[in-house]
Amino acid sequence: MIVETGHYALVLALALALVNSILPAWGAASGDRRLMAVAPSASIAIFGLIGYAFFALTYAHVVSDFSLVNVVENSHSAKPLIYKISGVWGNHEGSMLLWVLVLSLFGAAVALFSGSMPQDLRANVLAVQSWIGSAFLLFILLTSNPFARLGAPPLEGNDLNPLLQDPGLAIHPPLLYLGYVGLSITYSFAAAALITGRIDAVFARFVRPWTLVAWICLTLGIAMGSYWAYYTLGWGGFWFWDPVENASLMPWLAATALLHCAAVMEKREALKIWTIFLAILAFSLSLLGTFLVRSGVLTSVHAFASDPTRGVFILAILVTFIGGSLALFALRAGGLKQGGLFAPISREGALVINNLLLTTCCATVLVGTLYPLALEALTGDKISVGAPFFNMTFAPLFVPLFVLMPIGQNLAWKRGDLIGAAQRVAVAFGAGVVCALAIAAWRGGPVVSVLLSGLAVYVIVGSFADLGRRVFASSANVGTVVSRALGVPRQALGTAFAHAGLGVTLLGLAATGWGAEKILVMKPGGRVAIGAYELALDSLFSRAGPNYTEIVGKTIVSADGRVKAVIEPATRFYPARRMSRTDAGIATLGLGQVYVSIADPGENGAVSARIFWKPLVALIWIGALIMAFGGGLSLSDRSFRIGVARRARKVAALPQPAE
Amino acid sequence: MLWLIFALLTGSAALSILWPLIKTPRGLSQGATEVALYKAQIAEIDRDAAQGLIAADDVESVKADAARRLMATETPARTPPKGRGSIGRFAVPAAAFAAPALAIGLYWMIGSPTLPDLPLEARRAASPERNELMAAVAKIEAHLAQHPDDGRAYEVLAPVYLSMGRASEAVRAYSESLRLLGETPERLAAYGEARVFAANGAVDSEARQAFETASAKMPSLAKPRFFLGLAAEQDGDAASARRIWSALLAEAPADAPWARVLRERVAALPDGASPAGADAETQAGPRASPGLAAKIEAMPETERAGAIRGMVERLATRLAQNGQDLDGWLRLVRAYAVLNESDKARAAVSDAKRNLAADETAIGRIDALARELGLEG
């Protein structure tokens, strides 16, 4: 009963989305208030219906209703409850359902929190959001229906891919989708602005908080995914330049550019074309990512549910939405009014450079991702573009970005003073140089690592240079300093934190150069030294989990004869799928980590072990958390709330992930 | 309860469209927002200037920019939005009606409202016998997961799968047992049979090869010969089918339960003069059931009937979802006739004609079949 009503709710959501695609846009075109007013209530209802459908599918997974093909293929009655729930989106059909759920969540959030928007803009935004929703609901119902039923249900399911049976699955996809799909709202805003023909500060003001929300979630989602890959794939890496990772990195780069660009457009009415273009680009890259992952053109760790017949459908959606918006863009771009003027050396100018660098980064990633696919399609040769390509192309673009970041922060709007700005970041520059020299003298090590850590320190200090100078300016009176510090706009504070977070991540990346790696065969009682630590394999034993058996290598980590940590790296076997996965043992010591993964337990009681010492590695993810925190600070700035008459309302509130 | 939830969902969807008619919308015009925005912006410029984000001598010109934009918005020359008496009064209720209608139509096509939720716990509690069988199957499956080379276990499992309607798993189990235990005529024949079930009654080349090998090894075995006859019939080679089946009948023990049915089958072959062994009883009897492919096989093991019914039901479900499959309909009508369910057969004939109404040759073939099976009137 619940299952079938959920199925019906999904169909009803499609019907409602179709209505919502037409009426509000028609109303906005003809100036009919009633038609426009359908959009908010319908958007909320669509979210409610898809939410109910999602609940129904979750229910079916939780109670192991094997009359659903989706449950049979991806669940198992012995699976722990958390994986029964997260397994809902650990497969193609369910993850598409989560996709439209997040899409409708953003639609509903705009309906609820954007009361101060001009009615016709809001009607068009929600209509465009419904176009996307209709297309994907149709895709789900026609090609990937999670509610497909079986007349003769089996008594047991096929279980979930073991790589996905991890707490990471509970958090990573919902977060990533909040970011990925959240960019749909910037796309809808851009399309709506193009349709209404008013591309101005109002548009920029309303689109910024949504971009920020999506960007925060995307940042956290990518970081989470990278940590997950780090501890489950068992070879100690955290970023593989895998096409699926690139698919999430490209929208992030575009969204970062958009975030900066929209600020210029809002404050100074400049860079309009860029802003609209980036808003379209960001979501187009999300769609491209969805296509790459969902169509099965790639075969990678993420391609857990691929079906080539679906590819064509998504490709059609992709072409329609990207092509349609670009056509609209071409049609309207000519008629844009000239915005505020600015000198080349100014905050605006710095943001233009930021945009150029970020979009070029994005383009290199795009090339690196699509080139192998195109080559395979044309010639049949299978090549893999990996870390060397990206290190060669990506790094030369990112290094100037890091160098310019603190300088840009110190430039004034409209007309800046480069020498003044350079003087202001001199302290930061000095800190970076001193740090690099100190590290070189103390640790030595690879030159790249030394230089990059210097750069990272420069970025971290430089991010706060401007704020510090203002807060501590001339007067040393404690009272003034405190009141000044409290008076700093949260947006400025957010910027500083986000930039510093990037520096922290860079420091973590730079430190990989001082890491150590050993691959060896170990027997219980064996000892090995790595970094400053000594590892002893205490015992090897097998253990039964709920739906797997594992061989655990209890390892004791000690330094100077004292036990620092006990870790239990394991290799697990899942009989239902006849697959194994490793579960790395990680001991976080300070900011560094000892990482052990074991494999292939042999007859003679020995295992092959990969052992890493990774100094400061935790900073990579801590940096991402700081970036997201900065985004949150910025989002809470009062300037994002716009008071119209007495109906002051919050423009944006961080939407809660549903279910 | 089910229908109550359907009604509630439909009602709330319609209500969400009708909302603007219930509560008169109060929207903001573009002008109001812009004015507020630029006023806020001018205030913000002061804030930025105080923080040193804008050079002191630029403050005025930046402010002037914003003020210019503010003034440009304060004379909105747009037509005021319409409220009452507009197209919305008709379009909104029409959409509120159309959306549920569309949803019900689409759900009718793809949903299965009659299928209840089947949580595992409830199913276990509901049918302890079936549960025991399934538990046994699960036990053997678990055993196989640990010992994938136990051919005996596959051999035990395969017919159970077949009787549960899991034909493709039966195929896999038989092919494993063939691989592990070696080929015997019986095993090959059973494997071929499972393949035929998995292919909804069609004898594919792989199955045919299995039957040929089995028949060559042990010519007296009836099953492969029956299926080879069926293969010939499916190829349109009625003469070969008749030859194979007649030979089979001639050798059949007098009390073989399948002999009578096979005779009827032979009689139903095109240009069907009755074969040598056919007796008067068949000639005189009602021409009810040709097409007995499955039933013959069901005779020795009564459980098979369940499997066949399962197959027929699946076919019916598939056709209910996609009715453009003429061969499927012909097979379904025949199957019902075989199962002596002439009401269902008649219903299937009319369903098929409705689905394929546009295709005249298809209608012709359906009518011909109905005549042949005596389903008219």
Side-chain angles (χ1 to χ4, degrees):
Chain A
M1 180 186 77
I2 292 178
V3 171
E4 282 304 318
T5 50
H7 192 181
Y8 178 65
L10 197 62
V11 177
L12 202 53
L14 170 66
L16 214 49
L18 287 171
V19 167
N20 207 30
S21 304
I22 301 163
L23 292 193
W26 182 13
S30 63
D32 188 315
R33 204 168 248 208
R34 270 189 220 290
L35 289 178
M36 287 193 269
V38 170
S41 51
S43 295
I44 293 167
I46 292 170
F47 171 62
L49 289 170
I50 298 180
Y52 181 75
F54 195 83
F55 157 76
L57 185 62
T58 310
Y59 166 80
H61 272 262
V62 168
V63 301
S64 296
D65 186 336
F66 291 125
S67 66
L68 275 85
V69 180
N70 184 260
V71 180
V72 176
E73 286 176 353
N74 301 291
S75 197
H76 191 280
S77 60
K79 202 164 66 167
L81 182 64
I82 176 175
Y83 301 139
K84 280 185 182 165
I85 296 172
S86 57
V88 173
W89 54 82
N91 61 78
H92 172 78
E93 291 83 3
S95 74
M96 286 316 298
L97 191 59
L98 180 67
W99 208 97
V100 290
L101 179 68
V102 174
L103 191 78
S104 65
L105 168 74
F106 275 91
V110 168
L112 283 174
F113 299 117
S114 294
S116 58
M117 263 168 78
Q119 204 189 9
D120 58 340
L121 182 64
R122 178 162 78 159
N124 274 326
V125 168
L126 293 177
V128 175
Q129 194 77 359
S130 286
W131 297 349
I132 307 170
S134 306
F136 276 94
L137 283 168
L138 213 54
F139 171 72
I140 291 177
L141 287 170
L142 295 185
T143 74
S144 328
N145 196 337
F147 291 105
R149 304 290 295 270
L150 280 174
L155 261 199
E156 200 45 273
N158 302 344
D159 210 351
L160 182 67
N161 185 337
L163 284 177
L164 302 176
Q165 294 197 26
D166 188 276
L169 180 68
I171 314 163
H172 168 64
L175 259 183
L176 198 64
Y177 275 16
L178 277 172
Y180 229 59
V181 185
L183 289 173
S184 65
I185 213 75
T186 66
Y187 172 90
S188 297
F189 266 92
L194 287 170
I195 292 168
T196 58
R198 291 193 312 271
I199 299 154
D200 51 21
V202 174
F203 156 77
R205 167 75 68 145
F206 284 102
V207 81
R208 255 178 83 197
W210 297 107
T211 318
L212 203 49
V213 170
W215 180 87
I216 293 170
C217 297
L218 197 52
T219 307
L220 291 174
I222 293 174
M224 174 73 225
S226 121
Y227 193 69
W228 184 16
Y230 171 69
Y231 71 77
T232 55
L233 293 185
W235 58 87
F238 43 82
W239 190 263
F240 304 99
W241 296 106
D242 175 285
V244 176
E245 287 169 328
N246 295 346
S248 65
L249 182 65
M250 288 186 286
W252 186 84
L253 291 168
T256 311
L258 172 64
L259 212 52
H260 291 89
C261 201
V264 179
M265 176 158 170
E266 185 204 323
K267 292 217 185 225
R268 304 275 306 126
E269 293 241 341
L271 304 188
K272 288 179 184 177
I273 295 188
W274 255 121
T275 309
I276 295 280
F277 176 70
L278 283 173
I280 293 174
L281 182 72
F283 184 59
S284 300
L285 290 168
S286 286
L287 283 179
L288 179 71
T290 308
F291 167 71
L292 290 179
V293 179
R294 290 280 145 239
S295 68
V297 295
L298 305 170
T299 311
S300 74
V301 286
H302 292 73
F304 47 84
S306 331
D307 181 345
T309 55
R310 291 162 176 158
V312 182
F313 202 117
I314 305 187
L315 198 61
I317 296 179
L318 190 81
V319 169
T320 310
F321 281 95
I322 301 180
S325 57
L326 289 180
L328 199 59
F329 179 67
L331 209 65
R332 295 280 190 183
L336 286 179
K337 277 186 289 182
Q338 171 74 43
L341 295 171
F342 56 86
I345 293 174
S346 61
R347 176 74 69 101
E348 293 93 322
L351 289 170
V352 170
I353 296 179
N354 145 304
N355 267 277
L356 287 176
L357 288 170
L358 282 173
T359 41
T360 317
C361 283
C362 198
T364 39
V365 179
L366 188 68
V367 169
T369 310
L370 293 187
Y371 176 72
L373 293 176
L375 193 71
E376 193 188 336
L378 292 176
T379 67
D381 295 340
K382 239 178 151 37
I383 61 160
S384 130
V385 171
F389 167 81
F390 291 102
N391 290 346
M392 292 280 287
T393 54
F394 202 73
L397 290 166
F398 240 81
V399 167
L401 201 59
F402 279 114
V403 172
L404 293 177
M405 211 157 66
I407 299 177
Q409 262 180 283
N410 279 290
L411 287 171
W413 290 102
K414 196 161 162 73
R415 196 173 49 168
D417 172 10
L418 187 59
I419 299 175
Q423 279 168 353
R424 271 174 248 157
V425 297
V427 177
F429 188 75
V433 171
V434 169
C435 240
L437 289 175
I439 291 169
W442 173 54
R443 292 294 310 254
V447 180
V448 177
S449 291
V450 172
L451 290 179
L452 283 183
S453 6
L455 183 64
V457 170
Y458 157 74
V459 169
I460 297 167
V461 178
S463 301
F464 289 98
D466 180 43
L467 288 183
R469 185 184 52 79
R470 276 192 254 151
V471 171
F472 294 104
S474 57
S475 156
N477 183 336
V478 179
T480 5
V481 168
V482 170
S483 75
R484 274 188 196 146
L486 291 176
V488 172
R490 291 205 195 154
Q491 235 166 45
L493 212 55
T495 308
F497 271 103
H499 284 184
L502 205 54
V504 170
T505 295
L506 180 65
L507 192 58
L509 290 174
T512 53
W514 290 290
E517 176 181 357
K518 281 184 181 167
I519 300 175
L520 67 166
V521 174
M522 280 184 100
K523 281 188 175 179
R527 306 178 85 80
V528 59
I530 191 149
Y533 299 94
E534 175 154 290
L535 271 62
L537 184 61
D538 182 73
S539 54
L540 264 181
F541 56 93
S542 62
R543 194 157 62 181
N547 52 344
Y548 59 84
T549 52
E550 62 181 352
I551 291 173
V552 183
K554 186 178 170 194
T555 308
I556 294 166
V557 183
S558 52
D560 307 327
R562 267 185 316 209
V563 175
K564 294 283 185 185
V566 178
I567 51 179
E568 297 192 334
T571 167
R572 290 181 179 171
F573 178 71
Y574 291 76
R577 287 232 173 184
R578 312 198 53 77
M579 278 173 76
S580 315
R581 62 165 263 203
T582 60
D583 201 44
I586 297 176
T588 305
L589 304 156
L591 291 170
Q593 292 185 332
V594 169
Y595 179 115
V596 181
S597 90
I598 59 170
D600 315 325
E603 300 291 314
N604 52 358
V607 283
S608 63
R610 276 170 166 263
I611 299 171
F612 301 88
W613 161 239
K614 293 172 169 293
L616 301 186
V617 73
L619 287 181
I620 295 174
W621 299 288
I622 292 174
L625 290 178
I626 297 175
M627 278 187 248
F629 172 72
L633 266 183
S634 187
L635 194 62
S636 70
D637 191 287
R638 68 190 156 88
S639 75
F640 273 144
R641 290 165 217 162
I642 183 167
V644 178
R646 278 168 294 110
R647 300 184 52 222
R649 280 214 191 156
K650 268 204 303 193
V651 168
L654 196 65
Q656 297 297 311
E659 261 98 27
Chain B
M1 189 63 189
L2 175 79
W3 300 102
L4 184 68
I5 298 179
F6 276 140
L8 278 176
L9 289 172
T10 316
S12 50
L15 195 68
S16 79
I17 298 177
L18 289 172
W19 192 249
L21 294 188
I22 298 162
K23 197 165 172 285
T24 322
R26 293 180 306 156
L28 294 165
S29 70
Q30 168 83 3
T33 315
E34 278 182 356
V35 170
L37 175 75
Y38 291 124
K39 281 185 176 157
Q41 223 173 42
I42 292 171
E44 220 172 88
I45 293 169
D46 286 329
R47 189 179 83 163
D48 281 354
Q51 299 282 334
L53 281 173
I54 300 176
D57 41 344
D58 278 339
V59 171
E60 286 314 311
S61 70
V62 173
K63 263 191 189 174
D65 272 356
R68 230 186 346 266
R69 290 197 288 268
L70 174 59
M71 278 186 295
T73 60
E74 273 180 322
T75 50
R78 230 167 280 124
T79 48
K82 286 171 278 180
R84 221 162 262 288
S86 60
I87 189 94
R89 287 184 77 181
F90 305 101
V92 169
F97 176 77
L102 179 69
I104 291 168
L106 187 56
Y107 179 74
W108 197 257
M109 281 159 62
I110 63 174
S112 347
T114 52
L115 218 53
D117 287 355
L118 293 169
L120 191 58
E121 284 303 315
R123 281 168 62 205
R124 282 186 177 149
S127 64
E129 278 166 39
R130 188 181 158 80
N131 194 23
E132 269 167 37
L133 177 66
M134 295 300 258
V137 170
K139 212 168 178 176
I140 303 175
E141 281 172 344
H143 167 79
L144 280 170
Q146 300 296 329
H147 307 92
D149 292 334
D150 187 349
R152 288 289 311 149
Y154 282 113
E155 184 120 307
V156 170
L157 211 47
V160 183
Y161 279 145
L162 205 57
S163 71
M164 291 191 316
R166 291 157 71 177
S168 56
E169 279 161 283
V171 171
R172 213 180 49 226
Y174 273 125
S175 71
E176 286 293 317
S177 73
L178 277 172
R179 181 175 67 80
L180 295 163
L181 303 177
E183 292 186 355
T184 66
E186 288 89 353
R187 220 170 264 144
L188 277 169
Y191 166 70
E193 180 189 31
R195 281 196 80 87
V196 173
F197 278 111
N200 272 331
V203 184
D204 61 11
S205 62
E206 187 106 354
R208 185 179 204 142
Q209 208 179 350
F211 293 131
E212 277 165 358
T213 320
S215 197
K217 283 189 177 176
M218 194 200 252
S220 63
L221 205 59
K223 193 188 275 180
R225 291 167 69 191
F226 166 75
F227 278 105
L228 286 172
L230 183 65
E233 190 200 15
Q234 285 175 0
D235 289 348
D237 184 358
S240 299
R242 184 173 300 112
R243 187 171 42 74
I244 296 170
W245 281 342
S246 298
L248 185 56
L249 277 171
E251 292 168 27
D255 58 342
W258 42 266
R260 193 189 139 199
V261 193
L262 184 57
R263 261 179 226 119
E264 290 173 358
R265 177 100 202 190
V266 174
L269 284 169
D271 311 316
S274 84
D279 58 22
E281 190 199 347
T282 320
Q283 299 276 350
R287 290 199 58 194
S289 354
L292 291 174
K295 200 169 182 181
I296 283 187
E297 283 311 300
M299 287 282 180
E301 294 164 33
T302 42
E303 313 94 282
R304 293 280 162 83
I308 294 157
R309 272 182 204 284
M311 260 171 54
V312 173
E313 269 165 32
R314 273 205 307 283
L315 181 60
T317 325
R318 188 166 64 75
L319 288 170
Q321 284 165 0
N322 173 18
Q324 296 305 308
D325 175 5
L326 174 61
D327 288 334
W329 283 114
L330 295 177
R331 220 159 48 229
L332 185 67
V333 172
R334 241 178 228 286
Y336 279 135
V338 168
L339 295 169
N340 282 328
E341 293 181 349
S342 43
D343 289 345
K344 283 190 177 174
R346 281 200 190 87
V349 167
S350 61
D351 282 348
K353 281 161 94 170
R354 207 180 55 240
N355 269 292
L356 298 163
D359 183 348
E360 281 186 17
T361 45
I363 299 286
R365 285 187 62 189
I366 295 164
D367 280 337
L369 178 68
R371 265 197 305 282
E372 182 192 331
L373 298 177
L375 290 170
E376 278 166 318

